[in-house]
Amino acid sequence: MLLMALLISAGFLCFLGLGWSTLAGYRLIKALCEGVVRKEDTKTIEDEIATRSRMLKAYEKLTSIVVASVFLSELERQRFAIDVGYTVTFLVTLVLLALPVVNVLVWSAFFGATLFMFVLWALRFSAVKAFARAFEG
């Protein structure tokens, strides 16, 4: 009987040692929620949770990932519109190629658009590469 009590207490103490931070965390969550219900200032409890949380320590990186992802998505939508415009410019250049009077004007506009597209694609690839490097794993 004494041996069983010792084993029970040893198991309890072992898991208490492993999971005391979980118990403290539940206590903090309970205090935070009760403070919200009572409409009290919960800033100190929030700060304590932020210092104990492993995931919140990466909060700034998560925020950066979200902001960069949203802006990259918006840029990709705009780039798609630019690609459509470039395709139209290419098709107009091909159609007007037969006219010798407009030939130089059309080619110069197409050449300028092509230079812009090269710069756009180079910056796009470098931005995506930097995004992948910054936020991998």
Side-chain angles (χ1 to χ4, degrees), residues 54 57 84:
R54 291 187 185 111
K57 289 179 183 173
V84 169

Side-chain angles (χ1 to χ4, degrees), residues 113-126:
T114 303
L115 284 177
F116 174 79
M117 291 303 286
F118 282 141
V119 170
L120 180 74
W121 278 95
L123 287 176
R124 177 186 184 268
F125 285 133
S126 65

Side-chain angles (χ1 to χ4, degrees), residues 64-128:
S64 299
I65 289 172
V66 169
V67 168
S69 296
V70 167
F71 194 58
L72 193 59
S73 174
E74 290 177 4
L75 289 176
E76 287 299 308
R77 281 194 351 223
Q78 292 174 3
R79 186 197 50 81
F80 177 73
I82 291 171
D83 285 346
V84 169
Y86 182 73
T87 303
V88 168
T89 304
F90 176 71
L91 293 175
V92 167
T93 302
L94 287 179
V95 169
L96 294 178
L97 194 62
L99 300 174
V101 176
V102 189
N103 194 3
V104 174
L105 297 174
V106 172
W107 272 109
S108 61
F110 180 69
F111 182 71
T114 303
L115 284 177
F116 174 79
M117 291 303 286
F118 282 141
V119 170
L120 180 74
W121 278 95
L123 287 176
R124 177 186 184 268
F125 285 133
S126 65
V128 169

